[in-house]
Structure formats: structure tokens, C-alpha cells
Amino acid sequence: MGAPANRLRIRAALLLTLAAPLLATAGPIVDVIPLPARIQPGVGAFAMSAATPLSASPDPDASRIANYFSALLLKTRGLSLHSTRTGSAAEPRGAVLFSIDPHRLSADPESYSLDISPDRIVLSAAGSRGLLYAAVTLWQLCTASAERSDPIELPALRIEDRPRFRWRGLMLDSARHFQSPGFILQLIDWMALHKLNVLQWHLTDDQGWRLQIRRYPRLTSVGAWRVPAGAGPAADIDPATGRPRLYGGFYTQESVRQIVAHAAQRNIAVVPEIDMPGHATAAIVAYPALGSTAAPPRSVPSDWGIYPNVLNVDEGTFGFVENVLSEVLELFPGEYVDVGGDEAVKDQWHSSPRIQARMRELGVADERGLQSYFMRRIEKFLHERGRRLVGWDEILEGGLPPRATVMSWRGIDGGVAAARLGHDAVMSPSPTLYLDFRQGRGAREPPGRGQPVTLEDLYRFNPLPAALRPDEAAHIIGLQANLWTEHVRTQERAQYMTFPRAAALAELGWSRGQDLDWPGFVARLPAQLRRYEALGIHASEDAFAVSIQTRLEPGRERVALQLANQARVGEIHYRLDGRNPTAADPVYHGPTTVPVGGELRAAAFEGSDRLALMTSRSLDPASLARRSSQELTTCSNKLVLNLEDDAPVHGPRAVFLVDILNPCWIYPSADLSHARALSVAVGQVPFNFQIGADRNAIRLDTPQSASGELEVRIDGCDGERIAVMPLAPAASSAAVSQLPAVPIAPRPGAHDLCFRFAQRGLDPLWVLDWVQPVG
Ligand code: ACM
């Protein structure tokens, strides 16, 4: 990326060249995310160089934070500043002073001020929390320009800042897929750079128990390990056991202590989540006496979805839970402990005579009441130890435990109901704040839930519903985005799903409601993406990546082209010769046509800076006719997933977009005027979903042969069947297979093609990879 700018990015707003004019104001932009509460421009600028001394007030936290700032600057700008010394407000000219002043008048311990004048910089706060954020803001100002080698020249200004909400959270699911302790430490660092302050750590679930508990070693020796789903594990035999290699891992108490201590230095409270009474299969496998049936599960499962297994309500089980929580309280000193409470299926309680008898003894009317009894007991236990219970919004069912905080995930209604009852609530509704949803429809998108939740969708979320009275709204203490990891297998993908949506979350959580402004946020995003690059964060570029729509014109000599990017920002430059465009190449001004042949490459630019990776598309007729599963339409939107193959065990795997409750795809408006055959590639994925009775409602056509067929119909799914493609040639392959092409008759006009598999069972599930009418 080239960069003419050699000074801080207080700069004119981006000129929008696409679609509607989105930026109403073209004032100066301070490249800080989240946007500070108050910015006053000054006169002149401060030049930072290797000669700039850093000094700190006597409080040891002040020098710790000065050192933190200097390490960050070294890592991301290559600038090594003079070492810290203890100083005072009367520092010599040219210094950067980190000052903790307990007498500073401020109601909010996270507030701070940052004063940049031509002859010095003063960061000031009443304590370490605010000072840390002052340092983060200064670091952002120092890393706003495009080039690492640019001198740092900071225009004079004064920032007075404080957060809108006190809970600015991110949830990480370490149960479905395990991340290393090193990754958690890194994530904490990255969160702090967004002024996020709560890490809810989802440590237990059906598919894994990840926290060492000394009193119950089987929780991790047994509960932390599973055989992955599908055919892959059969090809991955562990020589030590002669059996499929197990997937898993857990956090030792020592590593947890290190993580919690590190988080405290970054102003992040780690809220452990020990999910109960549902999502507890791994614990029940480890200690079957905890289960509610006579035949508890015997191995840690690898299906996603909702298992029927729930903890029972024996006194012994409460003893177990309390013993576990006692160790949890030792490890996590923060105020809040999350006990889940979500998706506890009550069938096992309903059909257990022992549990029904216990309910009668307790005078509990129904199973919802029993869940409420369960949660109340745990709340009392935590309250007596000075802690606060937080749980998913199901804890409202059957009566909220006293003092409980509600995490509203099934929309915002749970949060509203809790606030109206005088309870605190955190807004984290699915899908808008669920980071396992795809961010766009691009071919590079990794596995996840199918419905796109774009950066803009997240940014436009309103955590404070207008219907709440001010006293009720005061109970909405913040918001949280949740990264569930069923489909997020690697740490690299965890980063991709989280960033930059975490930046939008950060702004919603920190900046004042009236300052939230999508075009303004987008204008500050390029600098944020460059910071991610400098930090080594593998972030999504979906907001700026160019999407390409093509259609062959009737004469088959030209291609109609539409280019866009999600953020509708920057200028799109493109080339047709397969070479990467620069800002000197033609600008896309709107729908156009180009000659058939060659390879289109396009990217969005801000001035000479490329905003995102290149997107490319071959413009030969065969490639133009091909559609990947992500470019097809699913016949319904019941439960659309971008799903990964389970083979090979190592190396890249194919990803397919499929509605698992209705595996059926449409190629809309296919041009069959010159088609003589149909070519497709198919794959198989494990059907590892606990979806209860929904499974019985999945329509599978009856196959004519043992391996089944792919059936193709024209003009909709009830139209004429124009092709039946036997799956036998692909049946033995665990990876993607291209089926032999089948002849079809050419027809004029555009036709919707419908694809369904006829197969005997659901597992493995046949899926489309791509489809192509062949001329
Ligand atoms: C949840 O998504 N089950 C809280």
C-alpha cells in the first residue's frame, strides 16, 4: 500500500463514489475506534520520535501502562521510545506523561483525558483502567497513517472520554472447539485495544469440558475429549491407542490463573461460563451419576445442536455443582459467574419418576419451575460468596432468581423483560451479535451460519429499545457479541469471524448513541484494518471486498458486469487481463458491459491505498455459467449453514452452503440457450446435528439405486425432471467429486433449475459444490 499521507489521519472524510452519498459531513476525522465522547481540536502538532521521552506519575500502574504503550508502538510502528521514568505534570518539553491522579474528579473509573499540544502529551485518569484506555487512544492516533515508516505527527487536540456502557463483552466458545491458552491471551490483548472489558468464557458444553477441576479429574480426563464427526477420524488412527485420534484439550488451573491475571492488567473481567443444567453432556459422560436417565451417554458427543441430556436435581448433584463452582470462584475473582441456563430440554426431567417425585417434594409445579429452583439455589450459593449470577435469558422461565443478570440472546425481549423486573441485562441477540454467522456471501467466507450478518448489520444494532423508561433502560448495562465455535474450527477463523465486527461492537458499547454514525465508522475503518495487519490479526475484509456479478449478454460476446462492496466506500478499480489493478486503472462507475474472455480483477481503493484483497473472476463463457453453492439460492431458509467437509483430516477442506433442514438448491435464471449438458460437483458432509423432531421433517426423495442420485428439475422444484445424475461415481470419495456430465436439451430463455438429492439416509448428507450448464 502506498501512502502519500505522512501525518496523523485527521483528514477529510472519504469521498464516496458509489451508490448514494452516505457521508453528510466532511469534517475532520479522528481515526479512533471507538469514537471518543469529546474531541476538541487544538493548534499545532506534536512530533513523536525515538527521542521522545515517556514519563509516568509515581503510581506503579502508570509506568506499567507507559511501558505497555511503548511496547505496542514498537511492535506496530517499529518506533522505540525512551524508557520510562517517574515524572510529574511539570515535565520538560517534548515528553509524553502518563498520569494517574486519584483526585481527578470522575464518576467513571474507565474515563480519561488525553491532551496533545505541540510541546507535550498528557494522558490522565483517576486509575489504571482509564489510563490504559488513554494509552490505547494515543496508540491508535500513532498508528492511523498508512505507512509504518511515516513520522508520527500528532495534531494538537484534547480528548475527554468515557464509556456509554459498563459491560462491553465478547463471548468465546472454547468448548466446541478448543483454542490454545496463548490464543486467549492474544484475544485479551486485542479486546483491550477495542476498549472491550468483559470476556465471557464458555468453558463447558455437551461436546467438551475445558476447565481443570481438581476435585473431579474425570471432567477433563474424559470430558475434554471426543471423536470428531464423520468419516475423517477413521483415517486418523492414533498409534498409541489404535483408535481414532481424539479431539480436545483443556485449560489447567495454572493457565487459567495466568489468563485471568493478564486480563486484569488489560481491564478485562473474565466471566467463566459453566453451563447447566443443559449443555452438560460432557460432564454427565465423565460422572454418569449427574444424569437424569437410567442410561446416560457413554462418550463425549460430536453432534452440534441441542442434546436432551440435563443434570438431575439430586442433592449429590448440587454438591457437585457447588464444589465445581468453589474452584471456579478461586480461579475467577470477578463479580460475575455465568451458569448458562440455556436450552435445557425438559423431557428427561419429565419422564424420570425420581425427578418427578423430587418435584412433588419441593412443591414445584412443572419442569420450568424446577429449572427456576435449580437456578435459585445456585444464585444463593454465589450470592453468599459475594458473587453475581448471570445466565442466558431462559433463566427468566419459571421465575428469575433474585439479583440475577440476564444475557438476552433470543432477541432483546429477555433483556427488556429483565429490565422491567428491575434486573440488570446485557443485550447479545442472535443473529445480529452472533459472530458465528457469515459476514458476507463471498466465496472466501469460512464455515459458519449461513445468513450474513454484515459489519453494518452489527453496527446498526440498537441496544437500548425506545420502549424502556429511563429507570428501566438504566438496567441495560451493556452488550456482548458471542463467538460460538461449532463451525469455527481454527484460531485463524476465530479471528476472521471476530474482527472487524468487534470494532463495531466496541463503538456501540463505548460511544454515545448520538455519535453512532455508520459512514463515520467506515471512514475510520481502513486505519483499523491496517492496525489489524500490524498486530497480525487475521481479520475479515468483507466490508471493502468487491463483489462481482456477471451475466452473459444475449449475443454471447459481452458480459454485463456489476461491482460493489458492502460498505459502499472507496473507488473500485479493475482490469480485464488477469493482472492486479492499481489506482491508475479504470474506475468502475456503475453497471457496464465488457468483452467475453480474460480475467476480471477488482479492488476498492481509497486514494492509492487498496482497502481489501483483490477479487477475481474468469470471463470465459464456461466460468460465467458456473455457480458455487454459495452463489446458488437455497430453496428455503430454515437452517442454512456454510458447512465444512470432514476430509481430509489435515489440509484444506471444501465448504458448502446448505439448508440442512431442506437440502435443495436453485440456480436462478440459468441461461440454457446453448446448453448441451449439465456438469456438477458434489461432496458429502456428516449430518451431525441434534435437531430433535425437525429431523423427521426433512424431505429426502427415494433413490433408484443404492448410492442415490441428484435430480434436476426445471422451472422450479415441481417442474419437469431434466436430469438424474447417479451418485455412485462419487460415493467412495470423502472429498469433492465431479459427476459425469449428463446431456440436456438447449432451451431459449432463462430457467430456474432446482437440485435435490435422492438418498436413503441423512448421514452423510450429499451437498452441491458447484453447478455448470455446458455448451
Ligand atoms: C445460546 O445461543 N444457546 C445462548
Side-chain angles (χ1 to χ4, degrees):
M1 293 191 218
N6 64 354
R7 58 194 304 275
L8 165 71
R9 295 224 163 184
I10 291 188
R11 53 181 167 75
L14 287 177
L15 284 178
L16 292 173
T17 55
L18 302 172
L22 289 174
L23 276 184
T25 55
I29 290 172
V30 175
D31 256 328
V32 176
I33 292 177
L35 193 67
R38 195 144 170 267
I39 306 166
Q40 273 177 295
V43 176
F46 180 98
M48 195 179 286
S49 71
T52 301
L54 294 184
S55 65
S57 62
D59 189 313
D61 277 331
S63 30
R64 172 175 66 79
I65 290 164
N67 290 335
Y68 163 73
F69 170 78
S70 116
L72 260 180
L73 207 58
L74 181 61
K75 179 177 168 70
T76 53
R77 282 299 303 253
L79 185 63
S80 172
L81 297 184
H82 269 204
S83 58
T84 327
R85 59 196 176 82
T86 304
S88 72
E91 272 301 302
R93 287 169 67 88
V96 180
L97 172 65
F98 291 77
S99 164
I100 288 185
D101 175 6
H103 303 298
R104 209 180 113 97
L105 279 181
S106 167
D108 192 321
E110 293 184 310
S111 73
Y112 68 90
S113 67
L114 170 62
D115 236 316
I116 302 178
S117 57
D119 58 3
R120 63 181 190 155
I121 295 179
V122 180
L123 304 87
S124 174
S128 64
R129 301 169 69 188
L131 193 65
L132 178 84
Y133 290 153
V136 167
T137 299
L138 181 59
W139 168 75
Q140 288 201 350
L141 293 172
C142 293
T143 49
S145 82
E147 281 291 294
R148 201 178 153 95
S149 56
D150 291 346
I152 301 178
E153 203 176 304
L154 304 168
L157 52 71
R158 178 173 170 79
I159 288 177
E160 288 281 349
D161 206 4
R162 66 189 156 78
R164 181 183 187 198
F165 291 111
R166 70 181 161 92
W167 186 301
R168 304 180 302 279
L170 194 65
M171 188 219 75
L172 176 66
D173 171 4
S174 295
R176 272 55 174 270
H177 282 104
F178 177 76
Q179 306 85 22
S180 68
F183 177 80
I184 311 291
L185 290 168
Q186 251 185 342
L187 183 66
I188 283 166
D189 282 343
W190 297 335
M191 285 175 66
L193 297 175
H194 293 77
K195 304 189 175 97
L196 296 171
N197 66 353
V198 177
L199 173 62
Q200 179 173 327
W201 199 5
H202 187 78
L203 285 164
T204 72
D205 214 303
D206 297 303
Q207 301 84 355
W209 181 287
R210 306 272 172 240
L211 176 65
Q212 180 189 19
I213 299 293
R214 292 191 193 285
R215 188 166 178 145
Y216 300 108
R218 285 175 59 83
L219 283 173
T220 44
S221 65
V222 173
W225 305 97
R226 66 173 186 257
V227 179
D236 189 26
I237 301 301
D238 183 349
T241 61
R243 298 203 186 143
R245 198 183 305 278
L246 298 176
Y247 174 86
F250 64 92
Y251 305 97
T252 62
Q253 295 205 347
E254 194 184 328
S255 68
V256 169
R257 281 202 182 87
Q258 192 195 353
I259 285 166
V260 169
H262 183 71
Q265 298 224 322
R266 299 284 182 265
N267 189 31
I268 290 171
V270 184
V271 175
E273 182 186 351
I274 308 295
D275 209 340
M276 61 185 88
H279 286 287
T281 306
I284 294 170
V285 170
Y287 292 97
L290 300 171
S292 298
T293 62
R298 298 170 64 92
S299 58
V300 178
S302 58
D303 283 6
W304 314 129
I306 305 174
Y307 280 88
N309 308 312
V310 280
L311 300 181
N312 63 40
V313 290
D314 293 351
E315 284 308 303
T317 297
F318 282 106
F320 165 87
V321 171
E322 291 178 4
N323 289 334
V324 167
L325 288 177
S326 295
E327 291 193 35
V328 168
L329 298 188
E330 274 173 31
L331 292 169
F332 297 90
E335 190 180 4
Y336 291 94
V337 176
D338 194 304
V339 292
D342 57 324
E343 299 175 323
V345 180
K346 312 294 190 301
D347 296 358
Q348 292 183 351
W349 282 356
H350 190 71
S351 50
S352 159
R354 202 172 81 223
I355 290 173
Q356 291 299 312
R358 183 76 182 123
M359 279 167 60
R360 283 191 293 278
E361 268 168 41
L362 293 169
V364 168
D366 58 16
E367 288 76 23
R368 286 156 65 97
L370 189 60
Q371 165 140 342
S372 177
Y373 164 80
F374 195 114
M375 286 296 160
R376 281 170 194 269
R377 268 188 79 154
I378 304 302
E379 194 284 331
K380 181 165 178 288
F381 177 84
L382 292 174
H383 176 66
E384 284 167 2
R385 283 151 188 81
R387 306 300 183 93
R388 301 180 70 168
L389 178 147
V390 51
W392 300 108
D393 57 40
E394 286 92 332
I395 64 171
L396 280 150
E397 291 170 7
L400 200 52
R403 302 168 288 263
T405 298
V406 169
M407 184 66 64
S408 189
W409 74 278
R410 295 173 301 174
I412 57 168
D413 293 353
V416 169
R420 289 197 166 137
L421 290 168
H423 283 248
D424 287 350
V426 178
M427 295 300 198
S428 67
S430 172
T432 316
L433 297 194
Y434 268 40
L435 300 176
D436 53 337
F437 282 77
R438 290 194 295 170
Q439 286 163 91
R441 298 181 189 276
R444 281 194 287 251
E445 216 52 27
R449 289 178 174 261
Q451 177 190 334
V453 173
T454 65
L455 186 63
E456 182 171 359
D457 293 335
L458 199 153
Y459 192 85
R460 292 192 185 279
F461 171 65
N462 174 16
L464 277 188
L468 288 177
R469 295 192 316 249
D471 59 316
E472 295 166 341
H475 282 293
I476 306 298
I477 59 171
L479 74 172
Q480 178 169 296
N482 301 322
L483 181 61
W484 297 103
T485 59
E486 289 94 330
H487 310 297
V488 183
R489 187 166 53 90
T490 67
Q491 294 175 176
E492 192 174 281
R493 291 178 185 169
Q495 297 169 52
Y496 186 96
M497 301 308 263
T498 304
F499 301 99
R501 286 187 292 194
L505 174 80
E507 190 139 308
L508 290 185
W510 182 279
S511 307
R512 295 176 309 172
Q514 69 265 31
D515 292 338
L516 295 174
D517 157 40
W518 167 247
F521 174 75
V522 164
R524 286 173 281 126
L525 194 58
Q528 188 75 356
L529 294 182
R530 284 193 295 272
R531 288 183 196 110
Y532 291 158
E533 203 177 318
L535 291 163
I537 299 179
H538 179 75
S540 162
E541 295 184 338
D542 279 329
F544 295 135
V546 174
S547 63
I548 301 174
Q549 277 189 37
T550 54
R551 188 172 40 77
L552 196 56
E553 294 277 276
R556 298 177 70 79
E557 289 184 348
R558 295 190 71 79
V559 183
L561 201 62
Q562 277 194 52
L563 309 180
N565 66 16
Q566 269 183 12
R568 301 184 298 284
V569 91
E571 280 189 328
I572 295 178
H573 294 265
Y574 66 99
R575 292 180 71 101
L576 300 170
D577 59 0
R579 295 179 39 207
N580 288 341
T582 67
D585 285 309
V587 176
Y588 173 81
H589 290 294
T592 183
T593 66
V594 296
V596 160
E599 182 191 331
L600 168 74
R601 289 198 175 197
F605 288 77
E606 180 199 2
S608 59
D609 293 344
R610 183 157 55 79
L611 292 173
L613 291 173
M614 211 63 64
T615 318
S616 68
R617 176 114 210 185
S618 293
L619 299 179
D620 60 283
S623 305
L624 290 170
R626 181 184 287 202
R627 296 282 181 276
S628 69
S629 65
Q630 288 81 10
E631 293 167 318
L632 298 171
T633 310
T634 49
C635 300
S636 50
N637 286 311
K638 292 179 175 175
L639 183 43
V640 179
L641 299 173
N642 205 32
L643 269 188
E644 189 176 55
D645 207 345
D646 69 323
V649 171
H650 305 291
R653 302 178 183 179
V655 180
F656 314 88
L657 192 76
V658 52
D659 183 343
I660 62 159
L661 296 185
N662 182 21
C664 169
W665 295 257
I666 305 268
Y667 183 142
S669 303
D671 175 2
L672 301 180
S673 52
H674 292 73
R676 307 213 166 270
L678 202 56
S679 196
V680 305
V682 297
Q684 301 178 68
V685 290
F687 194 91
N688 59 326
F689 305 102
Q690 293 285 315
I691 49 174
D694 284 348
R695 192 181 174 110
N696 307 329
I698 298 174
R699 173 182 151 188
L700 287 182
D701 292 336
T702 311
Q704 298 161 20
S705 61
S707 301
E709 300 84 31
L710 172 64
E711 297 188 353
V712 188
R713 292 179 185 269
I714 193 161
D715 299 326
C717 295
D718 296 321
E720 177 197 346
R721 193 168 68 183
I722 59 162
V724 176
M725 307 176 84
L727 296 167
S732 62
S733 166
V736 172
S737 307
Q738 184 173 346
L739 296 177
V742 291
I744 57 169
R747 307 170 189 236
H751 299 271
D752 286 356
L753 296 179
C754 174
F755 299 83
R756 303 188 69 94
F757 289 94
Q759 66 178 111
R760 271 193 226 290
L762 276 169
D763 189 20
L765 185 72
W766 285 101
V767 281
L768 272 189
D769 188 35
W770 55 259
V771 179
Q772 183 183 331
V774 187

